[in-house]
Amino acid sequence: MDDDGTRGGRGPGADRAPGPAAPPPPAYPPRVPHPAGAASAQPVEHRQAVPAPAAPPVDQPAPGAPVDAWLRTPRPQQEPGVWRYGYTPPPPEESERVSDRSLLVGALIALLSALLLWSLWRNGYLPYRLVPLKLFTPGEWWNPGTSGGPRTIEGSDALTVYEAILFGLLVYGCGRIGNFSELFRRHVAERGQPFLALAAAVAAGLTQLLVWKETLPVVRPVLVLVASVAGGEIYQSQTVVNVIYGLIAAAVLWPFARLGRWRELIAARRGGGTAPAPADPSAPATTTSADQWPELRAAGWTDAADTLTAEVRTGRMNDVDVARLRHAWRLATRRPDRLGPLAESVLRTGGAAALHPSGHRDLPRRTARHDVLTGQVRIGRCADDPHNPYVRRGTGLALDPALLGTSLLAVGPPGAGKSARLVRPAVEALALRALAGQAAVLAVGGAGEPLGPDDAFDVVVRVGHPGSAHDIDLYGGTTDPDEAAAVLAEGLVGDVGSLDSRRAATVLAQLLGPYRAAHGHFPSVPELRELLDGTPAAFAGLRASLEAAGHHAMLRELDARSRQAGGPGDPAPALADRVALLDRPTFAGFFATGPDARPFELRALGQYPLRVRVDLPERGHAEASRLLTRLLLAQFTAITAARTDTSLFVCLVLDDATHAVTAETVRGIRRLRSVNAGAVLALRTVDDVPEALHTPLLGAVGCTAAFSGITTWDGKRFAEAWGKEWVETREVAQHTVFADQPFTRALHALRKLVTGKAVTTDAVTVRQVEKERWSASELAYAVPSGHAVIRLANVDGEHAPPLLVHLDG
């Protein structure tokens, strides 16, 4: 990765490679602690760190946990938002579950019916019971008549086998009708071992007793079949008889051993005393294994692949290193001249090759579960709720760049968890992605908001703070006066519905162009305020500078502004009032534009994998903070739309987008997905956006989140945006039954006297209707605390229905 992207931002210790990593187990990908000196390194601007709000840390793994297991864990392709790491599909959806009481009663009825039927059979109360057997056997074996018994020994043997077959069919039918398999699974198998093996052993012993007592027709039919095949002389040998008895006992015992899983229990008992041998780190694995770096081996760089494999197995690499090197290799394959230097760097420095310009290999702290290999961050778990599809219930919900590329709008009251459970995990994921060289992030929030510690960012801009090493460039780093005027006008008066931002941009262009031509840079805040106020001294000085330099075209621009000043509908006074919000002692020298200026140019986000955080003084200067937020959003949409290289994913995160959304920025947000960029906007209520922009904003973003506690007015807008679905409804109408017969009327009267209710019949109507996925009332009152209803869509057009999610941040 090129160091040009640092803009002088390598902190102390950036040239020293971190020490050995202690990666976590697969569930929590590994981390690399900073070495001595690097952990205390100041961020890019060498500022004094401000302690971040305390956040619950993610459980850390034991040192030495292997990263290769995490790397080999499957990540199957799934629907948008599914946490793919180690995903296993849920079992097939069961039909309506039968209650335990009904299950037990049904099994008991089936058993009693089978015993009654078998008793009637054995005692000869069933007519024509021997007719099927007589149809397939010689007539001389039987006595005359349909109920005549066997006459010969052959008839008696045939009847024995016939009864055994019928008994088997009766047992099978009783088991199916009584649903004994479900009864066994629910009350025996689900309890696990050793109860399962013990219950199977008890059932096997009871069955063996009944078999050898000849209560169950098993032994005699087997002896008859063996004699008919091998001849009766075979029973003259006691050894043969014992073998046959042993086979019968084993055959009766075998199904119970399968049901009780005796083999698994014995194997577990035998293996429980000895620990499994540790895997040999030097043992070769298949070349298709993910931890073997097959892409390097396929290209012929076997030495580099062996080096990285050893780094992975010895725990000297973490998940960010793996993602960073894979990305660097993909970029190098597009330019073959970079393959050789990258391979040499890998051989020389191992997992520290192609480092991020900051020299960091991980964030100082993680508060969410990340899978850097896929870019996902887990934000919660889909609740077991009827609104959620069965396949999504209980599955993890995650965000990734493919989802954030469609932009995300989160709405919820203060304290609902937007910042801690959604915004900060998204910023963390983007920061990790930036360390892997695949993204750039700009996080904007109030001073002290929990967007991450200072050491997690390359640049921290504290607006109005004297210790901040960077300022905000009001003009977005452009040198074109028209472009700077358009963006600045959107930030200053884009939320004023009575003003046309195009006219405001024209006024600003009439001043910015002449000023830049005369001084070589745009005006500072006090100078811009004087020009907008029409101060005679400011105009006279600017005119003299233009005349001395011979800028006649710019003189015409300045003359046009002088003629229009003070006219009806002139937006200059409103612009001056808004600029006055920034012309305060707190911001003195902060928005400087001269040679001594130190602004952070937002254009760098589209060129380098930077992690930038902007802290706004919301508590003392709320209106100025909203103006700056609106300006940053306008600059971001304009800059990302104009960039030519879209290989780097760029994302803007606004922790509070109140009064920041304008008509122009809504159009810009809609264009972000086509330039590999996205925005995350958090609002307390949709009413923080002008009413005319409610529908366009909800249509411009692909992902929306409604947190618990929103109003029914906000819920109505989300319900309309999420649309409807076809559902099956059942309507039950009860109709009173009127009997015609005297006896029936008497029974109905007796029943009404006992129960107190008239005899009724139910009329069920089933039909398909179109219903809202979530109604406004449900969103306002049925979403529990700590939950949110989230609808996701990715840049490929795939989408998931609104899901009720328990946010675990």
Side-chain angles (χ1 to χ4, degrees):
M1 208 169 297
D2 298 337
D3 293 341
D4 297 338
T6 60
R7 299 182 55 81
R10 291 179 67 87
D15 295 330
R16 295 189 292 272
Y28 297 94
R31 304 184 51 183
V32 177
H34 294 291
S40 59
Q42 297 295 325
V44 174
E45 65 273 22
H46 306 285
R47 62 193 176 282
Q48 184 67 28
V50 175
V58 175
D59 296 337
Q60 296 303 313
V67 69
D68 53 350
W70 167 83
L71 189 58
R72 291 194 304 266
T73 302
R75 297 165 174 86
Q77 290 291 337
Q78 293 296 324
E79 297 178 359
V82 175
W83 175 251
R84 293 168 50 191
Y85 178 79
Y87 173 80
T88 55
E93 183 176 7
E94 298 180 355
S95 56
E96 186 176 353
R97 183 181 175 95
V98 181
S99 64
D100 292 343
R101 179 178 179 180
S102 300
L103 194 64
L104 291 172
V105 170
L108 181 60
I109 292 176
L111 180 61
L112 294 178
S113 300
L115 291 176
L116 176 62
L117 187 61
W118 183 246
S119 176
L120 295 176
W121 168 271
R122 294 296 299 268
N123 292 288
Y125 290 107
L126 296 180
Y128 311 107
R129 63 190 187 95
L130 299 180
V131 171
L133 180 60
K134 293 181 178 181
L135 293 176
F136 296 96
T137 53
E140 58 270 14
W141 289 4
W142 309 98
N143 293 319
T146 56
S147 58
R151 178 188 298 177
T152 62
I153 297 178
E154 291 81 359
S156 299
D157 294 342
L159 180 59
T160 300
V161 175
Y162 179 57
E163 288 183 345
I165 295 174
L166 291 180
F167 180 80
L169 294 177
L170 183 62
V171 170
Y172 176 77
C174 174
R176 290 298 300 272
I177 296 175
N179 205 1
F180 279 88
S181 60
E182 176 66 17
L183 186 66
F184 174 81
R185 183 190 64 81
R186 189 180 300 182
H187 295 282
V188 180
E190 288 184 354
R191 297 193 178 186
Q193 299 288 12
F195 181 82
L196 176 61
L198 181 61
V202 172
L206 179 62
T207 304
Q208 290 279 10
L209 179 63
L210 296 177
V211 165
W212 296 111
K213 288 289 186 178
E214 295 191 3
T215 304
L216 301 180
V218 176
V219 178
R220 289 192 61 194
V222 171
L223 296 177
V224 169
L225 290 176
V226 171
S228 62
V229 173
E233 297 82 3
I234 193 174
Y235 295 122
Q236 296 178 359
S237 173
Q238 186 63 34
T239 302
V240 173
V241 174
N242 293 336
V243 169
I244 294 175
Y245 285 165
L247 292 177
I248 293 174
V252 173
L253 196 64
W254 179 78
F256 295 98
R258 290 289 303 274
L259 290 175
R261 300 174 185 174
W262 294 351
R263 180 182 297 178
E264 298 177 9
L265 181 61
I266 295 174
R269 295 295 183 183
R270 289 180 177 177
T274 59
D280 185 7
S282 61
T286 60
T287 56
T288 57
S289 178
D291 63 333
Q292 293 290 303
W293 302 87
E295 58 272 17
L296 273 69
R297 299 183 186 276
W301 300 97
T302 307
D303 294 340
D306 292 339
T307 300
L308 294 179
T309 301
E311 293 273 307
V312 168
R313 290 190 171 183
T314 55
R316 293 194 295 268
M317 287 181 65
N318 68 344
D319 54 345
V320 179
D321 295 331
V322 173
R324 186 186 67 251
L325 289 174
R326 283 192 167 190
H327 178 68
W329 181 260
R330 286 194 297 268
L331 294 180
T333 53
R334 302 174 187 175
R335 298 181 59 179
D337 57 311
R338 294 187 177 182
L339 289 176
L342 178 60
E344 293 177 1
S345 178
V346 169
L347 293 175
R348 184 175 64 257
T349 61
L355 273 180
H356 185 265
S358 65
H360 296 165
R361 297 171 65 178
D362 199 358
L363 297 179
R365 190 180 189 183
R366 299 187 188 183
T367 59
R369 295 181 59 184
H370 299 270
D371 184 19
V372 187
L373 207 60
T374 58
Q376 287 190 314
V377 53
R378 181 182 171 118
I379 62 173
R381 174 180 49 82
C382 296
D384 188 4
D385 187 85
H387 286 91
N388 294 343
Y390 171 76
V391 295
R392 298 301 298 267
R393 297 175 190 173
T395 62
L397 191 79
L399 298 177
D400 58 56
L403 298 173
L404 297 180
T406 64
S407 297
L408 185 149
L409 176 66
V411 179
K418 300 188 302 297
S419 298
R421 300 182 179 183
L422 181 65
V423 175
R424 176 159 183 177
V427 173
E428 276 189 7
L430 293 169
L432 290 172
R433 200 101 174 142
L435 290 178
Q438 304 176 47
V441 56
L442 172 62
V444 181
E449 294 296 330
L451 295 182
D454 293 350
D455 292 340
F457 296 92
D458 302 312
V459 175
V460 174
V461 181
R462 296 189 180 89
V463 180
H465 193 284
S468 178
H470 288 278
D471 300 342
I472 291 180
D473 189 352
L474 296 179
Y475 307 101
T478 183
T479 58
D480 184 1
D482 293 329
E483 182 181 351
V487 176
L488 184 58
E490 197 65 33
L492 291 176
V493 295
D495 62 328
V496 181
S498 59
L499 287 179
D500 187 356
S501 60
R502 291 174 295 182
R503 292 193 60 190
T506 302
V507 171
L508 289 172
Q510 291 172 344
L511 297 174
L512 297 182
Y515 190 95
R516 179 172 178 80
H519 300 282
H521 58 81
F522 291 121
S524 62
V525 169
E527 295 167 335
L528 180 59
R529 181 183 180 184
E530 291 180 354
L531 292 173
L532 289 171
D533 283 334
T535 306
F539 268 81
L542 180 57
R543 181 182 299 276
S545 300
L546 292 174
E547 290 176 349
H551 295 292
H552 301 290
M554 293 303 172
L555 280 172
R556 290 194 299 269
E557 286 285 297
L558 192 61
D559 292 340
R561 174 85 289 267
S562 299
R563 290 191 304 269
Q564 297 170 4
D570 182 19
L575 290 170
D577 291 341
R578 288 300 178 89
V579 173
L581 295 173
L582 304 179
D583 189 18
R584 304 297 301 162
T586 303
F587 307 128
F590 197 86
F591 304 107
T593 57
D596 298 332
R598 48 182 185 178
F600 168 73
E601 296 182 1
L602 206 61
R603 292 181 180 275
L605 285 174
Q607 304 171 6
Y608 310 107
L610 292 177
R611 303 165 294 165
V612 183
R613 194 187 78 204
V614 178
D615 295 342
L616 301 175
E618 291 183 346
R619 292 173 183 170
H621 303 274
E623 287 298 327
S625 298
R626 293 172 182 175
L627 188 153
L628 292 174
T629 302
R630 190 164 53 250
L631 178 62
L632 289 173
L633 178 57
Q635 289 182 357
F636 180 82
T637 55
I639 291 172
T640 53
R643 63 177 183 151
T644 56
D645 184 8
T646 59
S647 59
L648 194 69
F649 178 73
V650 185
C651 189
L652 170 68
V653 181
L654 298 181
D655 189 52
D656 185 5
T658 302
H659 300 299
V661 179
T662 64
E664 184 61 31
T665 53
V666 168
R667 287 189 287 269
I669 290 173
R670 189 178 291 112
R671 293 191 298 263
L672 290 179
R673 68 177 66 189
S674 62
V675 293
N676 196 23
V680 178
L681 310 177
L683 294 171
R684 295 181 177 89
T685 173
V686 182
D687 290 331
D688 289 339
V689 177
E691 186 176 358
L693 299 179
H694 290 173
T695 300
L697 177 60
L698 289 172
V701 298
C703 304
T704 49
F707 284 72
S708 61
I710 65 172
T711 63
T712 53
W713 291 273
D714 288 343
K716 179 181 178 181
R717 298 181 182 100
F718 280 107
E720 292 175 351
W722 292 338
K724 301 180 180 181
E725 62 179 346
W726 288 98
V727 297
E728 184 180 273
T729 61
R730 295 169 57 91
E731 296 181 358
V732 180
Q734 292 185 341
H735 302 284
T736 304
V737 178
F738 298 96
D740 296 331
Q741 302 297 327
F743 181 72
T744 308
R745 286 199 298 270
L747 291 178
H748 287 185
L750 179 61
R751 179 176 175 179
K752 184 176 181 180
L753 181 63
V754 173
T755 62
K757 296 180 181 180
V759 179
T760 60
T761 182
D762 293 340
V764 181
T765 303
V766 180
R767 60 178 179 176
Q768 296 283 337
V769 298
E770 200 174 16
K771 181 183 177 183
E772 291 178 332
R773 300 177 185 272
W774 281 83
S775 67
S777 298
E778 288 175 330
L779 289 173
Y781 303 111
V783 179
S785 177
H787 290 66
V789 181
I790 302 178
R791 188 256 187 188
L792 300 175
N794 60 19
V795 293
D796 295 329
E798 299 177 318
H799 60 85
L803 302 171
L804 179 62
V805 181
H806 175 255
L807 300 169
D808 51 22

